[in-house]
Amino acid sequence: MSYKEAAKLFGQFQAAVNKNDLQGAKRLLSTLKIQLTQLPSLPPVLGNSPDAAKELTLARDTLELAVFLSVKMQDEAAFERNYQQLQMYVSDTRGLLSVSKQQNLITGLNLLRLLVQNRIAEFHTELELIPQQVQQEAHIKHATELEQQLMEGAYNKVLSAKSNVPDQSYLYFMDKLISTVRDEIASCSERAYKQLSVPEAQKLMLFTSSREAAEFAEQRGWQVKGNVVYFEQQEQTDMKDLPAVELMNHTLTYARELERIV
């Protein structure tokens, strides 16, 4: 396939994504990826070609759009696969192509995905690969600030961050993160309170209406009577039921290990 034919197919793929024809776009992407392998200048070969720069740019644009398509389709496995393929065009073509305008946006999306999937070690590994000055860019900073807020337990800031996303493509992962955070707040509330008014529950979990708060309460199995949410109190573990001997053995083991380290 020639560059012109591949570029024409990319145009069809791009049009399908823009029209939200997601299944059609997915089929075109599969075909386009196969056809791109026939272009001589792509990694890992990076062969000489009169159209080398245009071919590399086309392949990179295809994978960038594939990342956005995977977000639209809410397909996290496809997101990871397309993101990893795209990294060849970030590392292997450095010096051959100018930096993509979408690079920071997509990097920030990936960091947010790792947060949502609770892959914190990988989050920090990826972050270490980003130059310090780039980490201050809005798309990257949004993800790093969220991670800091999660570590501090500042869940109210995490919930309110949805209204300040740097791009609409972040909303899918933000919704998943907020759902996880709300569940964590709910679990803490069950232990901290016997009851809350519906407006208080709404404020605590940052719902936009009391109806949303009441519906969430019912999903959690809480009782809603009038304007009050009643939590099902969890039984506290009796101290006498603790495995004392096992606990003492663990404590002595830790003490010996500490002594050895010192």
Side-chain angles (χ1 to χ4, degrees):
M1 171 175 277
S2 68
Y3 165 77
K4 288 184 178 180
E5 292 172 317
K8 182 179 178 181
L9 189 57
F10 173 79
Q12 296 171 3
F13 170 50
Q14 189 176 43
V17 173
N18 292 338
K19 290 188 298 184
N20 280 324
D21 177 11
L22 304 185
Q23 292 302 323
K26 185 178 179 181
R27 289 192 294 270
L28 286 165
L29 175 61
S30 297
T31 303
L32 183 55
K33 280 186 174 182
I34 293 171
Q35 299 301 332
L36 284 172
T37 62
Q38 300 177 23
L39 299 180
S41 60
L42 303 190
V45 178
L46 294 174
N48 292 324
S49 167
D51 294 323
K54 291 192 291 185
E55 290 172 359
L56 289 169
T57 300
L58 178 63
R60 185 180 68 183
D61 290 348
T62 297
L63 290 171
E64 287 180 343
L65 192 55
V67 167
F68 294 124
L69 173 63
S70 64
V71 174
K72 283 176 174 280
M73 298 188 73
Q74 301 182 4
D75 187 341
E76 294 178 35
F79 180 102
E80 183 165 8
R81 183 168 59 252
N82 290 316
Y83 180 82
Q84 292 300 333
Q85 292 171 359
L86 178 60
Q87 295 317 292
M88 288 191 299
Y89 295 88
V90 176
S91 57
D92 294 359
T93 64
R94 189 176 288 115
L96 298 175
L97 296 177
S98 58
V99 177
S100 169
K101 294 179 180 179
Q102 306 284 10
Q103 182 171 316
N104 290 337
L105 191 160
I106 291 174
T107 300
L109 261 178
N110 184 58
L111 290 172
L112 183 55
R113 174 185 67 90
L114 293 174
L115 275 184
V116 169
Q117 296 175 350
N118 199 30
R119 294 160 64 176
I120 305 302
E122 291 176 63
F123 175 93
H124 286 285
T125 299
E126 290 289 324
L127 194 59
E128 288 176 3
L129 300 175
I130 303 171
Q132 285 292 328
Q133 65 272 20
V134 179
Q135 291 185 26
Q136 301 306 310
E137 196 273 339
H139 299 92
I140 311 297
K141 194 172 182 179
H142 180 265
T144 56
E145 287 179 345
L146 277 174
E147 191 268 344
Q148 184 66 33
Q149 290 159 4
L150 286 170
M151 295 302 102
E152 293 173 352
Y155 295 144
N156 61 322
K157 292 182 180 179
V158 176
L159 294 178
S160 61
K162 182 181 177 180
S163 61
N164 194 33
V165 292
D167 188 84
Q168 292 299 300
S169 59
Y170 281 56
L171 290 177
Y172 164 66
F173 288 120
M174 281 302 303
D175 284 340
K176 291 199 68 174
L177 186 62
I178 286 172
S179 177
T180 301
V181 167
R182 278 204 177 108
D183 285 339
E184 183 65 25
I185 294 174
S187 297
C188 293
S189 298
E190 288 171 339
R191 292 169 173 79
Y193 305 105
K194 291 183 179 180
Q195 64 188 57
L196 282 175
S197 69
V198 172
E200 287 172 334
Q202 174 190 340
K203 182 178 179 181
L204 184 64
M205 300 177 198
L206 287 184
F207 285 110
T208 57
S209 69
S210 57
R211 180 180 177 181
E212 287 181 334
E215 289 175 351
F216 179 79
E218 291 177 359
Q219 291 171 5
R220 295 281 303 189
W222 302 335
Q223 289 188 337
V224 181
K225 295 180 180 179
N227 202 35
V228 179
V229 177
Y230 294 91
F231 300 107
E232 182 179 348
Q233 293 294 306
Q234 299 190 7
E235 296 181 1
Q236 298 293 321
T237 303
D238 197 322
M239 288 296 294
K240 67 182 180 182
D241 293 333
L242 289 174
V245 174
E246 182 180 354
L247 183 60
M248 289 173 63
N249 285 334
H250 281 305
T251 303
L252 290 172
T253 300
Y254 294 149
R256 284 194 295 269
E257 291 297 325
L258 283 171
E259 185 178 4
R260 184 183 304 171
I261 293 170
V262 174

